[in-house]
Amino acid sequence: MKNIRNFCIIAHIDHGKSTLADRLLENTKTISDREKKDQLLDDMDLERERGITIKSHAIQMVVEEEGENYVFNLIDTPGHVDFSYEVSRAIAACEGALLVVDAAQGIQAQTISNLYLALEHDLEIIPVLNKVDLPSANPEEVKDQIIDLIGCDEEDILLASAKTGLGIPEILSAIVKRIPHPTGEASEPLQAMVFDSIYNPYRGIEVLFRVINGTMRKGEKVKFMNSGSVYDADEIGVLKLTQEPRKVISAGNVGYLISGIKEAKEVQVGDTITSVENPASQAIAGFEKVKPMVFAGIFPVDTDEFEELRTSLEKLQLNDASLTFEPESSAALGFGFRCGFLGMLHMEIVQERLEREFNMTVITTVPNVSYHAFMKSNPDEKRIVNNPSEFPDPTKLDHLEEPFIKAQIITKADYVGPVMNLCIEKRGEMKNQIYLTSERVELTFELPLSEIVFDFYDRLKSISRGYASFDYYPIGYRESDMVKVDVMLNGDQVDALSALIHRSNAYDIGKKICEKLKELIPRQQFMIAIQAAIGAKIIARETLSALRKDVTAKCYGGDISRKRKLLEKQKAGKKRMRQVGNVEIPQQAFLAVLRLND
């Protein structure tokens, strides 16, 4: 066990984690020249197209150092704030972490957030300054930032360039010398922690685990302690570029287990695997339950595909433990699911994966957050409102509380003004402003979560020309004056477009929604009234005029009464059509509400 090292790579998005992982794999001869490609561990099409890591990936390498062979288990982690749950699970399976910082961009918000996650688990941190070969790199200044942040010595910081391979041997040697080997007893009863799972259509669910104590043997009966399920360990092994079966996996190592598990519900991330013959007395403390930040409804375009959508979401949840969902129904869209996401990018990725991997075309409703409602009849009782349709009758409501977050924004000094204006526009309250250097400022704001759900991140990036980095964490609920804005077409309420909005913004947003729908809904043979309302009070209206058909075109001259007769007949027909006419709302209309400021 003293020759095993388990570590992960943590960094802000786009600081070179995946490229560094590629170089480590090449240097340790884990992959051959034929298998080489950029971002090797990012095996999803979406990851390659967007240039981001969405999923943690585990891989084993063997390194020779001072005449001895060491086994390295590397877990490459995502850098975006929406996938921080993946990072927390990777950290729980490791003893050390490489903290990668871009020498040109310096320390950014997600670097700090991931570092705190690692320090909570008492991980050994090895700071790596990446991209030192760039003309715009400023290694001396960034070194000072790292020393201020983690209190290390200057010689502890390793200089590297993942693109050219500079400094890679020094990193490998530092991992051996500075990261502690795993602790645990091979002779004790088996305790293995599940940190990930993958759905394989042919072999069932593949479980990824880290053995804390004891030994797992091929063919023995194993038990999942939280769910109580018992399975045979048909195949166990380690994760190289492909899976490598083994007879035994002992304490300290990371591996996979295939035992023909077909039910997605049987495997929970954070569960403990133990042996049936010699069971452990208690489970390992897993990870805390994930807390979704954003809720949205996902509905199949064809209502017959409801069960298919449920199966697809269950399989996707195996691969992405931070996704939560429960069934719901909508008058406009039929049966679907209320899904919880960690952020807007997470929501976008889930929708895209459903379409690509499971061939499911879905409609996503306006995202919102969960509120706490307190009624006049019983002010101590708290009701959770996840959906505008669950909003209680305003006459019976005592008060409503909405979730608030603390946001850390690191930006260039030139953009402080526009960033402050954006946060204040989003009902934010400034708490702190620190100049990290003469050029870089850290701003701390307290904001309502509902205001950052829509377009906050996109607008922050555009006003700061991509320089601002953003990270947040929840700080509890506060009382707020929220109202439910309903959208009506010809007097019929469209519940999928309802939204809970702060009273000060309700009129403005109601007007924008009506204008946007007028652009997107196709014109019909009859007039359509598009209205936004708070309760019974109409706050905005747009009218989509009817397509005009010239019924008098066939009349050449003759008495005026002939024309009048045709027009009266058309008028009566339009009136009847308006009574029974259904307005079809295109998919873009549901998404347009998110981009009202474009």
Side-chain angles (χ1 to χ4, degrees), residues 31-329:
I31 53 170
S32 61
D33 289 348
R34 193 165 55 84
E35 293 164 327
K36 272 185 198 173
K37 59 178 177 179
D38 287 344
Q39 280 87 44
L40 183 80
L41 295 179
D42 294 349
D43 50 12
M44 220 185 285
D45 293 346
L46 265 175
E47 292 180 312
R48 296 188 158 278
E49 281 168 28
R50 291 176 179 244
I52 57 174
T53 305
I54 293 168
K55 189 90 193 84
S56 294
H57 295 275
I59 192 161
Q60 191 175 91
M61 306 175 258
V62 177
V63 180
E64 193 177 316
E65 180 78 20
E66 295 174 356
E68 279 197 66
N69 280 348
Y70 289 87
V71 172
F72 283 10
N73 289 309
L74 156 67
I75 303 176
D76 178 26
T77 62
H80 196 282
V81 60
D82 279 13
F83 306 111
S84 54
Y85 190 61
E86 290 281 331
V87 182
S88 72
R89 289 171 18 214
I91 283 171
C94 295
E95 278 80 34
L98 296 182
L99 178 74
V100 179
V101 181
D102 186 328
Q105 295 183 24
I107 284 177
Q108 301 208 313
Q110 193 62 28
T111 318
I112 298 171
S113 147
N114 285 342
L115 173 71
Y116 289 156
L117 269 178
L119 291 175
E120 271 174 37
H121 285 79
D122 292 334
L123 262 59
E124 179 63 40
I125 308 290
I126 300 178
V128 176
L129 199 53
N130 193 20
K131 306 190 188 181
V132 289
D133 57 332
L134 286 183
S136 57
N138 194 344
E140 293 312 314
E141 190 182 303
V142 180
K143 267 186 190 176
D144 293 342
Q145 291 176 21
I146 295 174
I147 292 165
D148 286 350
L149 182 67
I150 58 176
C152 62
D153 297 328
E154 192 174 332
E155 50 272 20
D156 292 343
I157 302 170
L158 305 174
L159 301 183
S161 164
K163 198 166 190 177
T164 60
L166 172 77
I168 301 299
E170 287 77 4
I171 293 174
L172 291 170
S173 140
I175 292 168
V176 170
K177 292 186 176 117
R178 285 156 64 175
I179 291 179
H181 62 76
T183 54
E185 286 297 326
S187 55
E188 300 230 335
L190 172 66
Q191 281 180 310
M193 180 172 66
V194 177
F195 68 87
D196 207 350
S197 52
I198 301 157
Y199 180 75
N200 182 326
Y202 306 107
R203 310 190 68 185
I205 292 154
E206 298 171 3
V207 179
L208 306 191
F209 60 86
R210 150 86 196 270
V211 182
I212 308 292
N213 286 313
T215 307
M216 188 183 286
R217 290 182 171 77
K218 184 184 173 178
E220 73 174 331
K221 277 202 173 341
V222 292
K223 179 181 176 184
F224 289 81
M225 292 180 84
N226 285 352
S227 61
S229 317
V230 174
Y231 287 100
D232 290 322
D234 296 336
E235 185 183 311
I236 59 172
V238 294
L239 296 144
K240 294 284 179 83
L241 194 54
T242 53
Q243 294 170 338
E244 253 185 39
R246 295 278 161 92
K247 291 271 188 350
V248 173
I249 295 179
S250 54
N253 224 329
V254 172
Y256 71 91
L257 161 74
I258 297 174
S259 52
I261 306 171
K262 292 282 185 286
E263 280 293 310
K265 294 187 280 288
E266 300 285 308
V267 179
Q268 292 173 338
V269 168
D271 203 345
T272 303
I273 305 173
T274 189
S275 165
V276 172
E277 282 175 28
N278 182 13
S281 55
Q282 63 187 67
I284 309 154
F287 323 105
E288 58 196 71
K289 272 274 186 232
V290 61
K291 295 185 189 77
M293 293 285 182
V294 177
F295 294 89
I298 287 187
F299 294 85
V301 170
D302 184 350
T303 44
D304 298 344
E305 293 178 350
F306 173 73
E307 281 303 326
E308 219 171 298
L309 178 60
R310 183 201 294 276
T311 315
S312 304
L313 282 168
E314 280 177 1
K315 288 174 185 172
L316 193 57
Q317 193 180 36
L318 266 180
N319 200 257
D320 179 357
S322 50
L323 169 68
T324 59
F325 64 91
E326 57 188 38
E328 75 159 351
S329 62

Side-chain angles (χ1 to χ4, degrees), residues 373-381 383 392-399:
F374 296 85
M375 311 306 285
K376 284 177 181 168
S377 55
N378 185 2
D380 298 331
E381 188 195 340
R383 266 197 209 176
D393 180 351
T395 56
K396 296 176 183 171
L397 183 69
D398 184 55
H399 66 276

Side-chain angles (χ1 to χ4, degrees), residues 473-582:
Y473 57 89
I475 53 169
Y477 283 73
R478 295 180 190 176
E479 194 172 328
S480 204
D481 185 13
M482 307 298 285
V483 290
K484 181 184 174 196
V485 175
D486 290 316
V487 174
M488 298 191 290
L489 297 179
N490 280 348
D492 294 334
Q493 189 182 319
V494 184
D495 62 347
L497 285 172
S498 299
L500 292 175
I501 298 165
H502 194 265
R503 196 180 292 275
S504 61
N505 297 337
Y507 291 87
D508 197 23
I509 288 180
K511 190 170 180 356
K512 281 184 179 170
I513 291 176
C514 290
E515 286 169 359
K516 204 78 168 178
L517 289 175
K518 186 182 177 183
E519 286 171 31
L520 290 166
I521 293 176
R523 285 169 70 191
Q524 308 287 335
Q525 296 270 319
F526 52 92
M527 187 181 78
I528 300 170
I530 303 167
Q531 294 166 308
I534 297 174
K537 185 181 179 187
I538 304 294
I539 57 169
R541 172 180 170 132
E542 290 289 330
T543 306
L544 189 62
S545 54
L547 278 171
R548 189 169 175 277
K549 182 180 174 189
D550 191 357
V551 289
T552 59
K554 59 188 176 189
C555 290
Y556 294 103
D559 190 44
I560 185 73
S561 60
R562 286 180 63 201
K563 283 190 177 179
R564 198 163 285 142
K565 186 179 163 189
L566 286 168
L567 290 169
E568 288 297 327
K569 191 179 172 188
Q570 183 190 34
K571 188 178 173 185
K574 288 212 169 186
K575 192 176 177 185
R576 190 168 60 250
M577 193 187 278
R578 196 170 164 194
Q579 285 169 355
V580 296
N582 281 334

Side-chain angles (χ1 to χ4, degrees), residues 339-460:
C339 299
F341 307 97
L342 294 184
M344 285 298 284
L345 178 69
H346 186 210
M347 175 179 143
E348 215 177 295
I349 296 290
V350 167
Q351 190 180 344
E352 189 98 351
R353 285 184 72 182
L354 280 171
E355 288 187 11
R356 288 190 187 200
E357 295 173 27
F358 303 101
N359 227 354
M360 294 293 313
T361 315
V362 293
I363 292 174
T364 313
T365 64
V366 181
N368 59 286
V369 299
S370 64
Y371 299 87
H372 290 168
F374 296 85
M375 311 306 285
K376 284 177 181 168
S377 55
N378 185 2
D380 298 331
E381 188 195 340
K382 177 174 74 181
R383 266 197 209 176
I384 293 175
V385 179
N386 283 332
N387 193 338
S389 62
E390 296 168 7
F391 189 70
D393 180 351
T395 56
K396 296 176 183 171
L397 183 69
D398 184 55
H399 66 276
L400 193 79
E401 291 183 352
E402 67 170 325
F404 269 69
I405 55 152
K406 186 167 238 170
Q408 274 178 316
I409 299 168
I410 298 179
T411 181
K412 281 197 162 182
D414 314 0
Y415 306 118
V416 168
V419 170
M420 281 183 176
N421 287 344
L422 172 67
C423 293
I424 290 161
E425 180 197 324
K426 297 284 188 185
R427 299 191 283 131
E429 195 181 311
M430 187 161 173
K431 288 293 172 194
N432 205 353
Q433 177 179 355
I434 303 166
Y435 274 82
L436 301 170
T437 66
S438 58
E439 276 294 293
R440 291 160 60 75
V441 188
E442 182 184 347
L443 302 169
T444 309
F445 274 88
E446 286 182 3
L447 290 147
L449 180 61
S450 57
E451 293 287 345
I452 69 153
V453 160
F454 290 149
D455 55 353
F456 180 81
Y457 193 61
D458 296 341
R459 286 180 65 194
L460 178 68

Side-chain angles (χ1 to χ4, degrees), residues 578-592:
R578 196 170 164 194
Q579 285 169 355
V580 296
N582 281 334
V583 183
E584 205 163 281
I585 306 169
Q587 162 72 359
Q588 300 98 298
F590 293 100
L591 299 176

